Amino acid sequence: MRCIHQSKVKEIISWTARFVDNDPPTVRAERNASCQYIHNLCQCQFTQFNHNIQKSESITDPSSVPWTKLSLNSGSRVIATVAFVSKMATSGDAPESWYLALLGFAEHFRTSSPPKIRLCVHCLQAVFQFKPPQRVEARTHLQLGSVLYHHTKNTELARSHLEKAWFISQQIPQFEDVKFEAASLLSELYCQQNLVDSAKPLLRKAIQISQQTPYWHCRLLFQLAQLHTLEKDLVSACDLLGVGAEYARVVGSEYTRALFLLSKGMLLLMERKLGEVHPLLTLCGTIVENWQGNPIQKESLRVFFLVLQVTHYLDAGQVKSVKPCLKQLQQCIQTISTLHDDEILPSNPADLFHWLPKEHMCVLVYLVTVMHSMQAGYLEKAQKYTDKALMQLEKLKMLDSSPILSTFQVILLEHIIMCRLVTGHKATALQEISQVCQLCAQSPRLFTNHASQLHTLLGLYCISVNCMDNAEAQFTAALRVSDLTTHQELWAFIVTNLASVYIREGNRHQELYSLLERINPDHNFPVSSHCLRAAAFYIRGLLSFFQGRYNEAKRFLRETLKMSNAEDLNRLTACSLVLLGHIFYVLGNHRESNNMVVPAMQLASKIPDMSVQLWSSALLKDLNKACGNTIDAHEAAQMHQNFSQQLLQDHIAACSLPEHNLISWTDGPPPVGQFQAQNGPTTSLASLL
């Protein structure tokens, strides 16, 4: 050990101390290199350790057994380790030597397969036996807190060590990494324990004293902004991100400035402050295009920028207008996938950030493509990209426990469930709803964020199996369980579907008119979504049809057609055409009815939409029969019979599943224990979801 160069010892101690896995990639690369060095060093240490153990009289005759075959229990191994290190410390070895030995053993145990966390903790705790200097003491408390937090459930002990690391490190000058890492990790732990009021002042103090350390100042600003976002305090979060953007500009980091501004843009979109979003995104676009740096970082900024643009268009229901941006986004992710991930350390420490790993970005691009395909009515395409995204997620979740992967998974499921209900696969949709319940049951935060969507999906399922009372209960629960003030599009979607339930029930006039006043497409429509406004016109047309006010119904439906054609909303177009065809049939205008129903059937087959196909085939049968077209009438009747059989079989299969009882759940956490699926859905990804 004495032959190791002193500077290398200090480097090893510095880098192997970083157990936290959320270091920036460039920092992580250097840490990994140093860890490899310490691993090799540990092999030499084990050789020396074995040699000393064989000479030691404190172990009962191990001399005849090689170290690799020793069957000592965990306690004996640690005692032997401490005994060896103690002998090093008392024999006059440099302090770095005994510390390095314990640190090396701890890292070896932590990175073993499987990890031996208890042994790692024991080795780190042994450091305190030698009354180390304050720097070593603070760093060891940080290491112990990190290991306990990430690898055990002993959060109280982890918290105690992190609090000590934070307290001691504040008294040591030039000790920024330990000080701010302790603050960051401790605030994260506080949030996990619902001690948000403890996390906020801690982060504020760390931000205040970190202004001379660009990386940590930016990282702590991001962390506090995220905390405010989780609390729905988007105004405070935006203010912090604005402060971060200005700080990044001052320290000469245009890359991180763009990250702050794009993050702020994302929150402004959530707040629907479109007047502030547009100039901000324009500025971001200029910064991204002008920034010259790491190609992967530049492309990741472009992905972030384009994802915001695409989701903005989709929120607005502008499915056709979004296509150029979506195409750019897909090309951008293809470019990133061809770039080598050479983690070159940036010269500016404020640039040590990545928005998302490129594997996560790939899943995100699949996700927004699925969202687009669902809205546009390209349901087979939505299924294709869902399968790709879920396969990628399956691989990632084997190695990565990041919560964002579960969020991606739930959003993908929400969209593919709606696709299945449209294509006539209710049983599979129900099993996937059950899987969403299971995912949400594993994460209270995920359930809080998706409870309304989950009840909405159950409401749509209830409509598909004609359980209207349950559908009403589910939509009412969806409106009740979450604060939808920042999710106006979801609120409008739920209210629109609830209105359709009241129309079909036929006896809920007071409730129906109350809802229709709140989603009047002709006057002060509550959201800017083109798609939802077109759907509101359709609902008005449907009501007028059932009330026999056919001219009024035609006016509303033609407005729906005009809007849906403008943005390629294929499913709304098909529904409007078949309803118009039905109106013309009732009025005796068979030619005009045929002109509506035939393209409706063609479009429904392309989607494919089983309900519209069933409706269209019934109308075609009656139209051709009325016009004396016997062969065509027989062909349409056969189609209608086939669609009826498929839907009936699927209906019976769905209602026979134990998960069908979920339609009765309207309050509290999802009852996954009662209605868990016996077998997964018949898809290639059943094992994942």
Side-chain angles (χ1 to χ4, degrees):
M1 288 297 297
R2 293 188 183 89
C3 67
I4 299 176
H5 196 276
Q6 191 73 7
S7 63
K8 192 63 182 177
V9 171
K10 290 181 179 177
E11 180 188 347
I12 293 166
I13 292 172
S14 171
W15 286 102
T16 54
R18 294 175 173 271
F19 283 117
V20 181
D21 290 328
N22 61 352
D23 282 330
T26 47
V27 173
R28 192 162 60 242
E30 292 197 14
R31 182 196 69 190
N32 291 342
S34 294
C35 284
Q36 182 61 44
Y37 186 93
I38 191 65
H39 177 75
N40 296 337
L41 184 63
C42 279
Q43 302 309 310
C44 300
Q45 284 282 19
F46 277 126
T47 303
Q48 185 180 358
F49 191 16
N50 184 25
H51 179 69
N52 281 270
I53 286 176
Q54 291 175 6
K55 291 183 177 181
S56 173
E57 296 178 357
S58 62
I59 305 250
T60 306
D61 191 25
S63 58
S64 60
V65 184
W67 169 253
T68 53
K69 295 184 180 178
L70 282 177
S71 57
L72 301 176
N73 60 34
S74 299
S76 299
R77 288 185 183 178
V78 175
I79 291 169
T81 303
V82 175
F84 168 58
V85 174
S86 179
K87 182 177 287 190
M88 290 175 59
T90 57
S91 65
D93 277 9
E96 289 88 350
S97 299
W98 61 261
Y99 175 54
L100 182 60
L102 282 171
L103 195 62
F105 285 124
E107 176 70 356
H108 170 77
F109 289 134
R110 189 188 72 89
T111 56
S112 298
S113 183
K116 299 178 176 63
I117 298 303
R118 190 157 68 94
L119 298 182
C120 171
V121 169
H122 286 330
C123 288
L124 291 172
Q125 286 174 330
V127 171
F128 301 124
Q129 301 300 317
F130 303 105
K131 295 184 173 50
Q134 269 196 322
R135 285 177 175 266
V136 173
E137 182 183 3
R139 191 183 294 280
T140 305
H141 279 302
L142 173 60
Q143 292 168 332
L144 276 164
S146 177
V147 170
L148 290 166
Y149 175 63
H150 288 109
H151 299 283
T152 76
K153 295 181 180 180
N154 197 341
T155 52
E156 286 301 321
L157 187 57
R159 174 180 163 183
S160 173
H161 281 294
L162 292 171
E163 286 174 341
K164 289 175 183 176
W166 168 238
F167 176 76
I168 296 170
S169 62
Q170 290 180 79
Q171 305 170 34
I172 305 172
Q174 312 257 319
F175 207 41
E176 281 75 11
D177 275 0
V178 169
K179 184 190 308 180
F180 299 128
E181 192 166 322
S184 175
L185 199 54
L186 181 56
S187 65
E188 189 178 320
L189 190 150
Y190 280 151
C191 291
Q192 188 185 81
Q193 295 182 320
N194 294 319
L195 300 172
V196 176
D197 290 337
S198 297
K200 287 179 183 176
L202 171 63
L203 284 171
R204 290 193 192 102
K205 182 174 182 181
I207 288 168
Q208 183 181 2
I209 63 177
S210 65
Q211 294 189 37
Q212 301 306 313
T213 313
Y215 165 70
W216 279 109
H217 191 66
C218 292
R219 177 167 162 178
L220 293 165
L221 281 167
F222 275 125
Q223 190 169 349
L224 184 55
Q226 183 181 30
L227 177 53
H228 282 300
T229 302
L230 293 174
E231 288 198 305
K232 312 296 184 186
D233 184 4
L234 302 186
V235 174
S236 296
C238 282
D239 289 343
L240 282 165
L241 293 169
V243 170
E246 178 59 21
Y247 176 83
R249 185 191 66 79
V250 170
V251 298
S253 175
E254 287 296 286
Y255 168 76
T256 302
R257 181 189 178 202
L259 279 180
F260 275 114
L261 290 174
L262 288 167
S263 300
K264 183 178 179 179
M266 179 173 63
L267 298 188
L268 290 173
L269 282 172
M270 291 170 62
E271 289 189 284
R272 300 295 180 262
K273 293 184 177 179
L274 303 184
E276 296 180 46
V277 169
H278 294 148
L280 184 66
L281 288 183
T282 301
L283 173 61
C284 289
T286 302
I287 294 172
V288 171
E289 291 307 315
N290 292 338
W291 185 72
Q292 301 299 320
N294 184 305
I296 288 184
Q297 286 184 307
K298 183 178 178 70
E299 291 303 311
S300 72
L301 285 179
R302 292 190 70 228
V303 169
F304 195 173
F305 173 71
L306 289 167
V307 163
L308 292 185
Q309 285 197 312
V310 169
T311 52
H312 176 43
Y313 277 117
L314 292 179
D315 277 348
Q318 296 175 333
V319 175
K320 184 177 182 179
S321 303
V322 76
K323 286 182 179 179
C325 286
L326 182 59
K327 187 175 181 179
Q328 285 183 58
L329 178 59
Q330 291 165 342
Q331 290 171 343
C332 192
I333 201 65
Q334 289 177 353
T335 301
I336 286 183
S337 64
T338 63
L339 294 174
H340 295 293
D341 199 0
D342 297 326
E343 297 187 350
I344 303 170
L345 189 66
S347 57
N348 191 335
D351 287 343
L352 287 169
F353 294 96
H354 273 311
W355 174 52
L356 282 177
K358 64 181 180 181
E359 296 82 7
H360 291 198
M361 284 190 275
C362 182
V363 174
L364 181 57
V365 173
Y366 282 141
L367 174 56
V368 295
T369 303
V370 169
M371 292 168 65
H372 173 262
S373 300
M374 172 66 204
Q375 282 198 33
Y378 305 134
L379 302 192
E380 290 181 350
K381 184 178 179 181
Q383 175 68 62
K384 169 187 169 184
Y385 281 104
T386 298
D387 286 348
K388 287 185 175 183
L390 293 180
M391 279 190 281
Q392 183 79 359
L393 273 172
E394 186 173 16
K395 295 174 184 175
L396 290 173
K397 292 188 81 171
M398 291 177 183
L399 305 170
D400 187 348
S401 58
S402 173
I404 198 172
L405 297 180
S406 294
T407 301
F408 287 161
Q409 193 174 348
V410 166
I411 297 173
L412 280 164
L413 271 173
E414 288 169 354
H415 283 80
I416 201 60
I417 286 165
M418 290 188 284
C419 289
R420 301 222 196 269
L421 292 174
V422 172
T423 57
H425 297 92
K426 295 184 283 290
T428 303
L430 183 58
Q431 289 174 311
E432 288 170 335
I433 290 173
S434 178
Q435 292 162 38
V436 175
C437 289
Q438 293 174 49
L439 286 167
C440 288
Q442 295 167 15
S443 168
R445 180 175 293 168
L446 198 60
F447 177 62
T448 299
N449 291 335
H450 291 268
S452 284
Q453 291 92 323
L454 190 47
H455 284 294
T456 302
L457 290 172
L458 282 167
L460 296 174
Y461 167 76
C462 291
I463 290 177
S464 73
V465 292
N466 204 33
C467 296
M468 293 301 159
D469 289 342
N470 295 101
E472 179 186 352
Q474 290 297 335
F475 290 133
T476 303
L479 294 171
R480 183 187 70 246
V481 297
S482 295
D483 177 16
L484 297 177
T485 55
T486 57
H487 299 280
Q488 286 291 303
E489 283 77 12
L490 177 59
W491 174 86
F493 181 80
I494 295 168
V495 168
T496 301
N497 280 282
L498 183 56
S500 76
V501 171
Y502 289 153
I503 289 171
R504 291 179 66 174
E505 287 184 320
N507 57 355
R508 306 296 297 278
H509 304 298
Q510 184 175 350
E511 295 94 332
L512 174 60
Y513 288 123
S514 175
L515 286 182
L516 291 178
E517 285 178 10
R518 300 167 74 183
I519 54 168
N520 185 348
D522 285 320
H523 183 68
N524 292 332
F525 193 65
V527 295
S528 59
S529 172
H530 183 93
C531 177
L532 286 172
R533 186 163 176 260
F537 275 118
Y538 177 80
I539 287 294
R540 295 257 172 178
L542 185 65
L543 175 62
S544 299
F545 167 73
F546 277 112
Q547 293 176 336
R549 302 201 303 269
Y550 297 126
N551 288 333
E552 184 180 82
K554 285 189 286 184
R555 181 182 78 80
F556 286 128
L557 293 172
R558 283 170 177 151
E559 195 64 39
T560 303
L561 274 177
K562 182 173 72 173
M563 295 186 70
S564 58
N565 284 334
E567 286 293 342
D568 290 346
L569 304 172
N570 290 330
R571 188 158 184 260
L572 264 177
T573 299
C575 290
S576 301
L577 285 171
V578 72
L579 183 51
L580 276 169
H582 201 138
I583 291 170
F584 283 120
Y585 176 76
V586 171
L587 293 174
N589 190 340
H590 294 168
R591 180 178 177 181
E592 195 64 30
S593 176
N594 191 71
N595 289 341
M596 298 289 127
V597 177
V598 170
M601 178 60 118
Q602 292 170 344
L603 195 52
S605 302
K606 181 182 175 183
I607 291 173
D609 185 325
M610 284 291 287
S611 296
V612 174
Q613 284 178 293
L614 181 70
W615 191 356
S616 299
S617 60
L619 278 171
L620 285 173
K621 178 187 68 173
D622 294 341
L623 274 170
N624 284 301
K625 186 176 179 180
C627 295
N629 300 326
T630 308
I631 297 176
D632 291 339
H634 177 74
E635 183 180 335
Q638 188 61 51
M639 281 194 299
H640 185 263
Q641 178 69 16
N642 292 339
F643 293 136
S644 297
Q645 285 298 317
Q646 290 178 48
L647 287 169
L648 180 61
Q649 290 171 9
D650 184 55
H651 181 101
I652 293 170
C655 294
S656 301
L657 290 170
E659 294 89 344
H660 181 73
N661 292 313
L662 279 168
I663 67 174
S664 302
W665 164 65
T666 56
D667 195 24
V672 292
Q674 301 175 41
F675 309 128
Q676 190 169 347
Q678 301 300 312
N679 297 295
T682 54
T683 70
S684 60
L685 299 156
S687 62
L688 172 63
L689 299 173

